[in-house]
Amino acid sequence: ARRPPPKKKQGTLAGSLWRGASGAWGLLARGAGGVARSVARPEEAEPLGPEHRRDGVGLAVLGLAIVLGAAVWTDGIGPVGAGLATGVEWTIGALTVALPVVLLLVALRLLRHPPNPESRGRLMIGWLSVIAAVVGVAHVVGPDADPADRTGAGGLLGWAVGMPLTAGVGPIVTVLLLVLLAFFGVLVVTATPVHQVPERLREWADRQLGRDGDEEYDDYDEYQ
């Protein structure tokens, strides 16, 4: 006895459309890949150099400084810039007013100096220490910009740094500890040990005065 013919599955039209779309997408992807390979083979493509990547980061930081400065210092900014300024002010509080200048200096530093991958870890630790100390001190000694905002002048970051220390050791000791943290961050950023601070200060003073301090201090160094 013959078996009855199997019933046709439902959704045949939808399956056909799905298979057709998948095939068209595959043909389009293969065509785009062929065009890209014909223009430049992967082994012949020139990668983006470290200098151009650093220039791109520097220009991006410069653009951020312009947008943030226009949002903080003027009223001629759109909703995106205003939202950016509000978010930054919520994060670091009253220090938002000085942040465009800091970003401008960072951008100039990135654009004028070659990349140095070996010092990235050291610079990150140093700048994080300085930023934490500054926002913490602003939280302890700065006035509240908004009476309804409990984060204080240092924003959310300042509150996270300064509030636990103030609750534990008091405001005066907290400020002293944060000053020491900022001093440590500056030493790390400048790669200066504590025992070399007088020497570095002497070299800086000689450069500012335009004199060569090596000959002046040769006799003094012999007796050290």
Side-chain angles (χ1 to χ4, degrees):
R2 296 181 179 179
R3 296 181 179 179
K7 296 181 180 181
K8 295 184 178 180
K9 296 182 180 180
Q10 299 295 330
T12 305
L13 180 59
S16 300
L17 292 176
W18 173 255
R19 288 192 295 271
S22 301
W25 178 259
L27 290 176
L28 180 62
R30 285 194 293 271
V35 172
R37 287 190 295 270
S38 64
V39 172
R41 298 183 180 276
E43 61 272 9
E44 297 176 357
E46 183 179 359
L48 191 64
E51 295 82 4
H52 292 106
R53 290 197 297 267
R54 188 178 179 88
D55 291 342
V57 174
L59 293 175
V61 174
L62 180 60
L64 180 61
I66 294 174
V67 173
L68 189 59
V72 173
W73 299 334
T74 66
D75 296 331
I77 196 67
V80 176
L84 176 63
T86 302
V88 174
E89 186 176 359
W90 179 76
T91 304
I92 62 174
L95 299 176
T96 306
V97 179
L99 185 59
V101 178
V102 176
L103 292 177
L104 177 62
L105 296 177
V106 172
L108 294 178
R109 172 75 181 182
L110 291 173
L111 294 173
R112 295 184 59 185
H113 294 80
N116 188 11
E118 293 79 8
S119 62
R120 289 175 183 173
R122 174 178 58 82
L123 294 176
M124 183 177 298
I125 294 174
W127 283 117
L128 286 178
S129 300
V130 173
I131 293 172
V134 171
V135 295
V137 172
H139 171 79
V140 176
V141 303
D144 294 338
D146 186 0
D149 188 4
R150 298 294 183 180
T151 57
L156 182 62
L157 290 181
W159 176 83
V161 175
M163 190 274 295
L165 290 175
T166 304
V169 297
I172 298 178
V173 178
T174 297
V175 172
L176 293 177
L177 292 177
L178 292 177
V179 169
L180 290 178
L181 179 62
F183 179 66
F184 167 76
V186 172
L187 292 179
V188 173
V189 169
T190 58
T192 304
V194 176
H195 67 274
Q196 291 184 0
V197 171
E199 181 181 354
R200 294 291 180 90
L201 291 176
R202 188 184 69 186
E203 293 176 356
W204 178 82
D206 291 338
R207 287 195 300 268
Q208 297 302 317
L209 297 176
R211 65 187 183 187
D212 188 5
D214 294 337
E215 298 179 358
E216 182 178 352
Y217 294 99
D218 281 344
D219 297 336
Y220 175 79
D221 294 336
E222 290 178 359
Y223 296 99
Q224 300 300 314

